[in-house]
Amino acid sequence: MGSTSLLHLLLGVVLALLSVSLVEGEDAYKYYTWTVTYGILSPLGSPQQVVLIDGQFPGPQLDLVTNENVVLNLVNKLDEPFLLTWNGIKQRKNSWQDGVLGTNCPIPPNSNYTYKFQVKDQIGTYTYFPSTSLHKAAGGFGGLNVYHRSVIPVPYPYPDGDFTLLIGDWYKTNHKVLRESLDSGKSLAFPDGLLINGQAHTTINGDQGKTYMFRISNVGMSTSINFRIQGHPLKLVEIEGSHIVQNTYDTLDVHVGQSAAVLVTLNQPPKDYYIVASTRFSRKVLTATAVLHYSNSNSPASGPLPSPPIYQYHWSVKQARTYRWNLTANAARPNPQGSYHYGKITPTKTIVLSNSAPLINGKLRYAVNKVSYVNSDTPLKLADYFNIPGIYSVDSIQTLPSESTPASIATSVVPTSLHDFIEVVFQNNENAMQSWHLDGYDFWVVGYGFGQWTPAKRRTYNLVDALTRHTTQVYPNAWTTILVSLDNQGMWNLRSAIWERQYLGQQLYLRVWTSERSLANEYDIPNNALLCGKAVGHNNP
C-alpha cells in the first residue's frame, strides 16, 4: 500500500513538472504559409503595383526566439520566378536555404517551396526581402526579429514594448520598368521618396514614462538614411546581432541593408513628437516622418523637424568608430562576446575588392576587381553538389585588384577553405557610398579610412572590441576592412547591398569548402530542393 502511494506521488510530481515545462517551454518549431501576390497601393500617393506577402505591405513580421526552427511554405502567385532571402540569418551549415540565385532555384509562378532553417545562436534585428529580378523595388520585404531565450539575459532592462521600423527609399515606377532601364545599360534615377513601414506618414503609440525598443532597418535600394526622434535621445544597444557599448545619440546613420536597435524612454511632456528619417549624402534630401504619440497627449507634433547632422562623411565615420563590442555581454550564447579574441588570430588570406562601374559591350555594369557577376541558370550550390562542370569559375576573379585588367563578365567564385580566417578590404575608388553584405556570417568591422588601403593601415585597426555585423558601409574614395572566421561551410553570396549595383554585377560568391563530407560541417541537400538548369534530371536523395 505504501509503495503504491509513493508511486502515485512520484507520478504526480512528474506530471506536474511536465505541465510546467509545457506551459513555460519555448517552441522549437514555427510553421508558416505565405502567398506572394501583386497588389495596388499608393505608398507615395499614386497608385502602383507592389509585391504583397500574405496581402501585406510590408510583409508579415517574423518574431522568433534563438534556436527556433522555421518551416515556411512560400507560394508564388506572381507572373515570374521569385525568392526570399533572410538578411543576416547565418543559415548554419545550411546555405541550401539562403534564398539567392547562387544557392536556390527560383520558385516558378504558381508553385511553392518550403524553407526550413534554424535561427541558430543568433539574437537581434534582421530583415527578409526578395533577391530576384528587382522585386525588392516593389516590396516583398519585412522585419525578422530574433529574441533571446529566457535563460540567457540581455544587457539592458527588458523594454515595455517593441517597434520595428522598416525605412527605405522608394520609386513610383514599376519594378519591371526599372529593370528594363538597367538591362538597357542606364542607371536608375534618384528615388521618389522615403517610406517608413510602407508609408510616408505613420503613428507609433506609447505610454509616458515607459521605455521602448525601436528596431530600425534600411530596406531601401540605394540611399543611406539618418534616423532621429524629436526631443528623445537614442540609446544604441544592438546592431545586427551584436550587443554593443551603450552610447546615446541624437541621430543615427543607417546605411543600405543595415539594422540597429535603440532604447527610447518617453520621459518628455505629454504631447506628440516627430520621428524623422531623411536621406544622407544626397543633393536632394528626401524625408519621411512618423509621429510618436504619447497615450496621454492632447497636443499634435509641432515645431521644426529635428535636424540631421550638419557634417557629411567624416562625421559619419566618426560616429561609426564609436560603435564598440560589449565584451562582457553575451549575445545568444551564455559566454561573453569578448571571449573570442579575434584580434589575436593571424589571417590566412587577404582579399582586396575594388568596385567599379565599367561599360561592357557598351552598357553600364558594376564590377568587383574588374569582373561583373552574371547569374547562371544552374545555382552554384547545385553545381557543386552534383559535380556539374562549367557553371562557375574560381579563376575569373583575382583577390587583388589590377588596373591593367580589362573589365569582363563571369560567374565568379573565390575559393576558400573551411576554418580559414580571412581579411577582406573593400576599396571604394568612386565618389558614391557603397554598402557590402556577406551571407552566412557576421564579421568584425576593424577599420575605416580615406584614400587607398595599404598594409600599413593595419596599424589603425581595432583588434580588441570592433563589433560584428553582416553589412558594412564603405565611404567614397575610402576603404573598409573586415575580418571573417570561415566556420560555416557552403556557397555564400558577397554582394553590394545597393540593389542596382548587385543586379548589374557587383557581387561574387565565397566557396567555403572542405574535402570531408560530414553532417558536422554541412547538412545534406534538402529532399524538397528545386532543380533547374543543368541540375534537372539529377536525383535528389
Side-chain angles (χ1 to χ4, degrees):
M1 189 74 174
S3 61
T4 303
S5 299
L6 180 60
L7 180 63
H8 286 163
L9 178 63
L10 289 172
L11 183 61
V13 169
V14 169
L15 289 174
L17 289 173
L18 282 173
S19 66
V20 169
S21 67
L22 287 172
V23 170
E24 295 186 353
E26 295 167 337
D27 291 333
Y29 282 82
K30 291 283 187 72
Y31 296 90
Y32 306 89
T33 295
W34 288 355
T35 302
V36 186
T37 59
Y38 288 126
I40 302 297
L41 293 175
S42 304
L44 288 176
S46 303
Q48 65 180 114
Q49 185 186 65
V50 299
V51 171
L52 305 175
I53 308 287
D54 260 16
Q56 299 179 43
F57 171 78
Q61 185 170 302
L62 271 181
D63 288 326
L64 306 169
V65 174
T66 300
N67 291 351
E68 283 188 334
N69 296 278
V70 174
V71 181
L72 190 150
N73 181 32
L74 189 66
V75 182
N76 179 17
K77 292 294 184 180
L78 303 185
D79 56 355
E80 47 191 14
F82 186 84
L83 279 174
L84 287 179
T85 188
W86 316 95
N87 202 46
I89 301 304
K90 294 181 187 177
Q91 306 290 3
R92 296 290 304 173
K93 304 190 294 184
N94 201 16
S95 65
W96 303 108
Q97 306 293 337
D98 199 27
V100 291
L101 290 174
T103 56
N104 294 86
C105 296
I107 306 166
N110 297 310
S111 186
N112 72 295
Y113 174 72
T114 300
Y115 291 90
K116 299 176 183 178
F117 61 88
Q118 185 182 27
V119 287
K120 177 71 172 170
D121 293 333
Q122 289 188 260
I123 178 175
T125 304
Y126 308 100
T127 59
Y128 64 85
F129 62 82
S131 63
T132 44
S133 299
L134 223 67
H135 289 122
K136 188 182 182 186
F141 48 77
L144 198 170
N145 302 322
V146 185
Y147 295 87
H148 69 107
R149 290 177 287 164
S150 59
V151 294
I152 298 179
V154 291
Y156 47 81
Y158 204 69
D160 297 298
D162 198 305
F163 302 115
T164 295
L165 298 181
L166 305 175
I167 304 173
D169 50 31
W170 188 256
Y171 290 89
K172 295 180 181 178
T173 306
N174 183 278
H175 75 282
K176 293 182 180 179
V177 176
L178 295 175
R179 191 170 69 210
E180 290 170 2
S181 177
L182 291 178
D183 291 341
S184 71
K186 298 176 183 177
S187 182
L188 297 184
F190 191 66
D192 296 305
L194 282 187
L195 301 178
I196 301 176
N197 289 348
Q199 303 173 69
H201 305 281
T202 188
T203 299
I204 304 293
N205 298 301
D207 296 331
Q208 189 178 26
K210 292 186 176 180
T211 297
Y212 297 90
M213 176 170 281
F214 286 74
R215 299 178 181 271
I216 308 147
S217 294
N218 186 335
V219 295
M221 295 281 286
S222 62
T223 52
S224 300
I225 62 108
N226 181 265
F227 177 84
R228 50 208 185 266
I229 300 179
Q230 185 181 33
H232 292 74
L234 313 171
K235 180 181 282 188
L236 188 59
V237 296
E238 177 254 324
I239 292 178
E240 295 161 22
S242 271
H243 284 140
I244 70 168
V245 174
Q246 295 174 15
N247 294 321
T248 299
Y249 302 87
D250 293 325
T251 72
L252 280 181
D253 281 351
V254 184
H255 306 281
V256 182
Q258 294 185 345
S259 298
V262 299
L263 294 179
V264 178
T265 300
L266 274 58
N267 56 6
Q268 299 301 304
K271 61 185 293 290
D272 292 357
Y273 297 87
Y274 287 116
I275 300 171
V276 182
S278 60
T279 56
R280 286 280 272 150
F281 321 125
S282 57
R283 290 189 183 91
K284 179 181 179 182
V285 177
L286 304 176
T287 301
T289 60
V291 169
L292 175 58
H293 173 72
Y294 280 43
S295 59
N296 58 344
S297 166
N298 293 312
S299 303
S302 61
L305 298 181
S307 300
I310 297 174
Y311 301 104
Q312 298 294 305
Y313 300 119
H314 284 84
W315 183 96
S316 188
V317 171
K318 186 176 179 180
Q319 181 181 78
R321 286 175 175 156
T322 66
Y323 302 160
R324 291 286 190 266
W325 225 17
N326 186 336
L327 297 179
T328 60
N330 60 275
R333 291 183 174 185
N335 53 302
Q337 294 176 143
S339 62
Y340 192 96
H341 301 288
Y342 70 93
K344 296 182 178 180
I345 303 173
T346 301
T348 53
K349 178 184 291 189
T350 295
I351 301 171
V352 181
L353 301 176
S354 178
N355 52 269
S356 58
L359 290 179
I360 301 178
N361 297 325
K363 292 184 178 181
L364 172 67
R365 298 285 302 183
Y366 294 103
V368 187
N369 288 0
K370 296 294 184 72
V371 179
S372 185
Y373 184 90
V374 288
N375 285 301
S376 167
D377 291 338
T378 307
L380 316 184
K381 187 66 187 165
L382 294 180
D384 234 15
Y385 184 82
F386 292 120
N387 294 314
I388 303 171
I391 302 302
Y392 64 86
S393 170
V394 295
D395 301 318
S396 60
I397 186 167
Q398 303 302 309
T399 55
L400 294 174
S402 172
E403 290 303 316
S404 61
T405 303
S408 62
I409 289 176
T411 305
S412 44
V413 172
V414 171
T416 61
S417 297
L418 184 64
H419 303 306
D420 275 354
F421 188 85
I422 65 172
E423 175 188 40
V424 181
V425 180
F426 299 108
Q427 178 67 56
N428 179 13
N429 294 325
E430 298 182 64
N431 290 320
M433 280 291 300
Q434 307 291 325
S435 188
W436 282 92
H437 170 86
L438 175 60
D439 281 350
Y441 292 94
D442 50 21
F443 46 71
W444 290 270
V445 186
V446 294
Y448 304 95
F450 290 96
Q452 292 292 311
W453 179 87
T454 65
K457 302 295 184 182
R458 292 181 177 127
R459 292 196 294 268
T460 69
Y461 288 179
N462 177 359
L463 297 179
V464 177
D465 59 355
L467 79 157
T468 59
R469 63 187 315 164
H470 57 67
T471 303
T472 186
Q473 72 274 24
V474 191
Y475 294 92
N477 299 300
W479 55 269
T480 297
T481 297
I482 65 172
L483 298 177
V484 192
S485 177
L486 298 182
D487 60 354
N488 194 13
Q489 185 173 332
M491 189 74 74
W492 301 110
N493 193 211
L494 177 60
R495 62 175 178 263
S496 174
I498 298 173
W499 217 240
E500 169 183 333
R501 289 178 168 269
Q502 179 273 352
Y503 182 82
L504 289 182
Q506 195 170 300
Q507 59 172 312
L508 54 88
Y509 281 79
L510 290 182
R511 181 181 186 245
V512 182
W513 188 80
T514 176
S515 58
E516 177 188 357
R517 181 171 284 189
S518 166
L519 291 178
N521 294 331
E522 186 174 31
Y523 300 139
D524 281 335
I525 185 172
N527 56 16
N528 68 330
L530 300 176
L531 300 183
C532 55
K534 292 183 179 179
V536 172
H538 286 74
N539 292 323
N540 269 23

